[in-house]
Amino acid sequence: MEDSKIVALYWERAETAIGETAKKYGSYCRTVAWNILYSHEDSEECVNDTYLSAWHSMPPQRPERLRAYLGRITRNLALDRYKFNRTEKRGGGRILLALEELEECVPSGDPERITEDLVLTEALNRFLADLPQEARKIFLQRYWYLCSVREIADDLHISESKVKMTLLRSRNQLRALLEKEGIGI
Amino acid sequence: MKQKRILNALTMVDEVFIEEAAPGTGTAAGLGRRVLAVVLAAVLALFLMGAGVATGIFGNSIQDWFDYYWNAITGQSMDKSQSAVIDNLSQEIGLSQTVGDITVTVDSATVGDDNFFLLLKVEGMRFSKRYGYTFGQNHMTVSPDPLEGGGGLGGYGLEYHGLDGDGAIVLMMDYEYAAMTGYVEDISPLEVTLELKDLFRDGSKRKLLAEGEWYFTFTLDRSDLPEPVRLPDSEVMGMELEQNTRVPLLLTDIELTNTGMRFCYDCQGGTLALSPDFFVVLKNGLKVECTGGTGTLLDGGPLLFCSYQWMFPVDLEDVAAIQIGSTQIPVP
């Protein structure tokens, strides 16, 4: 079913909206949650909470990109749950590893001069827009979807070394951009 | 602190990028390596969500397209009975219209009981494998309209599937519906109108490539659709959405077709739902996932009438079972 039709079901308060969402995006949401939580039970609860959140947020929201909209809800819920669990087993280590990689490329800032998250997001959007499509996908699969290097290589059918190299270049570009714009954290 | 800020900033990046990077929407070049028993779930995204996969391999008709994907997934040629089923359901259309430099062709169709696929091609410009392509607007009507009178839910979608060996854009359009009256067999020809407007390069840097309107009318023959296989009422595990608990659901009026399945169940006013994991299990162990489905309350009553479509038409002689969640319903 087309996304616009699914969104319309939410607006009509038709319960089938949840079933249709699950059919079309259940696997996607589970992947997003699994990459953060590494627990089937927690992931499944997260996905169900995503449907509930979608139900409560539409209306008033009318997302143009339903997949990304749901993915963002799932990711936030999963990260909240991850923080709650705060376990280092399995998925916990994976998140920290990805974030530590990314942290290296962000210049240190004056603790007194805390940059607004919005400014950093805008810079990230400009940075992503200028990246070649493949590099952008690799970057976001690693740092948004928190996929492993191996999973990215498999998904995009490229070698792991190419993924690592592309990530290194992208991080360097991001660091240069943030330094140039004087954005520190 | 740093990590928290990075997380927050990343969470809010543009949805266009998030959608573009979603795992499972990459190219399919390596899929042929997968073993026969692999579940086709990952390929679902390639099948109807669009991916640049067809370069240089894709043939000339919708049958070739199905054959290509079967090959890519299983690493084997589609067997004769499977090919015969798709051949039987497919028909050539071969209508082209040129506006400016751009020629759009409605090439062929594969037609099921309550759904159909159309293969479209676009030529007349040098297209790049680096981008996706789409039309700014698409509008399709069918007559007789299966939803007319009783109502129900139906829909269609247009998806980019890459470039063919001649560099033409390959697009797939699918149409499906579930009427509030349930499935009513109608073998009369289906009159289809299709309007496409303005060709765009798709993605984060969307760009208008050619202005124009392409308009088609054609007929789909439904006179030779195979009989569905009827299955006994069966219990599967579903979900009670408010309490988030697993509950048994009784499926009734189950009919299996080459292109999908349909059935009814009491959804208790929308508080009960089925698992979204739907497969047809072939005798060789291969599981073919559904591409989605549509459900509507039957005559406004408590029963939800559902129609699901498989990603490929399947030979019913080769089907061992239907799987919904973890429950398998044997097919005799």
Side-chain angles (χ1 to χ4, degrees):
Chain A
M1 181 181 288
E2 280 186 298
D3 285 356
S4 58
K5 220 157 190 72
I6 297 175
V7 173
L9 287 176
Y10 279 103
W11 275 71
E12 291 162 11
R13 309 314 287 156
E15 284 96 346
T16 50
I18 291 176
E20 291 300 329
T21 303
K23 268 184 271 172
K24 189 165 183 184
Y25 292 120
S27 298
Y28 166 75
C29 291
R30 268 195 293 278
T31 301
V32 172
W34 169 260
N35 283 348
I36 294 169
L37 297 167
Y38 256 54
S39 153
H40 283 300
E41 191 181 352
D42 285 351
S43 300
E44 202 56 44
E45 283 185 24
C46 233
V47 172
N48 286 328
D49 287 347
T50 300
Y51 302 149
L52 194 62
S53 180
W55 179 259
H56 289 309
S57 62
M58 291 185 279
Q61 299 292 325
R62 192 184 280 277
E64 287 184 17
R65 296 176 183 279
L66 185 58
R67 187 215 304 250
Y69 182 77
L70 295 167
R72 180 174 283 161
I73 294 174
T74 308
R75 186 173 186 268
N76 285 338
L77 289 169
L79 285 171
D80 284 347
R81 186 173 286 262
Y82 163 77
K83 286 173 203 160
F84 177 75
N85 291 343
R86 210 55 175 161
T87 172
E88 281 301 302
K89 66 179 179 182
R90 305 172 79 185
R94 174 192 275 227
I95 291 183
L96 289 178
L97 194 63
L99 286 175
E100 280 166 9
E101 281 174 25
L102 192 56
E103 192 180 43
E104 288 171 8
C105 75
V106 181
S108 293
D110 183 347
E112 300 298 319
R113 189 178 57 106
I114 297 172
T115 309
E116 293 292 333
D117 293 340
L118 191 60
V119 175
L120 183 56
T121 299
E122 285 173 358
L124 277 170
N125 277 331
R126 287 199 303 280
F127 159 74
L128 290 169
D130 288 340
L131 278 183
Q133 188 185 42
E134 185 176 68
R136 184 166 56 237
K137 280 187 177 181
I138 292 171
F139 188 91
L140 283 172
Q141 287 203 357
R142 180 73 181 130
Y143 302 120
W144 202 94
Y145 289 99
L146 297 164
C147 297
S148 69
V149 169
R150 174 66 181 273
E151 286 165 346
I152 299 169
D154 283 350
D155 187 64
L156 300 177
H157 310 299
I158 55 180
S159 66
E160 288 185 48
S161 57
K162 183 175 180 184
V163 173
K164 288 177 187 169
M165 186 56 71
T166 307
L167 284 171
L168 181 64
R169 286 195 191 119
S170 298
R171 290 199 302 267
N172 287 339
Q173 286 173 29
L174 177 60
R175 185 209 305 265
L177 174 75
L178 296 180
E179 281 175 349
K180 185 181 163 193
E181 301 201 359
I183 297 174
I185 292 182
Chain B
M1 177 64 81
K2 246 183 172 184
Q3 289 181 352
K4 188 181 172 192
R5 289 191 168 277
I6 294 169
L7 264 183
N8 288 344
L10 266 174
T11 296
M12 297 308 296
V13 295
D14 196 321
E15 289 182 351
V16 173
F17 302 139
I18 298 169
E19 184 160 292
E20 176 191 66
T25 54
T27 65
L31 287 174
R33 293 175 302 191
R34 297 191 182 184
V35 295
L36 181 64
V38 72
V39 175
L40 302 185
V43 184
L44 173 64
L46 301 173
F47 186 78
L48 282 178
M49 290 182 168
V53 293
T55 306
I57 304 172
F58 184 73
N60 292 319
S61 67
I62 202 163
Q63 294 99 311
D64 293 333
W65 187 84
F66 283 122
D67 193 46
Y68 167 74
Y69 273 85
W70 186 274
N71 237 306
I73 305 313
T74 65
Q76 299 176 10
S77 297
M78 188 181 283
D79 66 37
K80 286 181 181 175
S81 64
Q82 189 70 44
S83 292
V85 166
I86 293 174
D87 279 347
N88 189 44
L89 297 175
S90 300
Q91 45 199 277
E92 188 179 340
I93 299 172
L95 283 177
S96 293
Q97 190 184 11
T98 302
V99 176
D101 295 329
I102 302 297
T103 300
V104 179
T105 301
V106 181
D107 180 90
S108 39
T110 298
V111 183
D113 285 15
D114 43 17
N115 68 320
F116 61 81
F117 301 98
L118 295 177
L119 179 69
L120 311 180
K121 292 185 180 183
V122 183
E123 300 163 286
M125 190 179 278
R126 189 185 174 99
F127 301 110
S128 167
K129 284 186 282 182
R130 293 175 57 204
Y131 301 109
Y133 298 92
T134 190
F135 286 94
Q137 291 178 30
N138 61 79
H139 180 65
M140 185 157 64
T141 65
V142 296
S143 177
D145 181 353
L147 305 183
E148 197 173 65
L153 276 176
Y156 53 86
L158 181 69
E159 301 289 350
Y160 172 68
H161 283 271
L163 305 181
D164 72 6
D166 299 321
I169 294 170
V170 178
L171 296 158
M172 185 67 76
M173 195 150 197
D174 72 310
Y175 175 91
E176 64 184 51
Y177 72 90
M180 283 178 73
T181 51
Y183 174 72
V184 178
E185 185 181 17
D186 182 354
I187 58 169
S188 66
L190 199 60
E191 304 287 340
V192 182
T193 68
L194 174 62
E195 296 172 66
L196 304 165
K197 186 177 179 186
D198 299 340
L199 181 66
F200 282 85
R201 188 178 79 193
D202 208 3
S204 57
K205 295 181 179 175
R206 189 176 167 95
K207 181 183 175 187
L208 177 63
L209 298 179
E211 283 184 300
E213 291 184 33
W214 293 263
Y215 182 81
F216 302 91
T217 61
F218 51 92
T219 301
L220 297 178
D221 180 14
R222 299 187 291 177
S223 62
D224 197 22
L225 291 175
E227 280 290 307
V229 171
R230 289 176 178 80
L231 301 178
D233 295 354
S234 303
E235 196 171 88
V236 301
M237 290 309 291
M239 183 72 79
E240 203 286 322
L241 295 173
E242 288 176 2
Q243 301 298 320
N244 201 15
T245 52
R246 284 162 61 79
V247 292
L249 296 177
L250 183 67
L251 307 190
T252 60
D253 304 300
I254 308 172
E255 289 190 327
L256 175 65
T257 72
N258 299 110
T259 55
M261 73 179 295
R262 45 186 178 257
F263 54 83
C264 296
Y265 72 95
D266 185 350
C267 66
Q268 304 269 323
T271 58
L272 302 181
L274 283 171
S275 162
D277 300 321
F278 256 75
F279 306 97
V280 59
V281 184
L282 302 185
K283 286 176 180 169
N284 62 9
L286 193 72
K287 292 181 181 178
V288 179
E289 197 175 2
C290 71
T291 58
T294 309
T296 185
L297 287 176
L298 198 59
D299 294 324
L303 288 181
L304 189 70
F305 170 63
C306 300
S307 175
Y308 283 75
Q309 281 75 40
W310 312 127
M311 58 183 298
F312 298 112
V314 296
D315 179 7
L316 296 182
E317 297 289 325
D318 276 348
V319 175
I322 302 301
Q323 184 172 329
I324 301 174
S326 57
T327 310
Q328 288 204 351
I329 303 170
V331 175

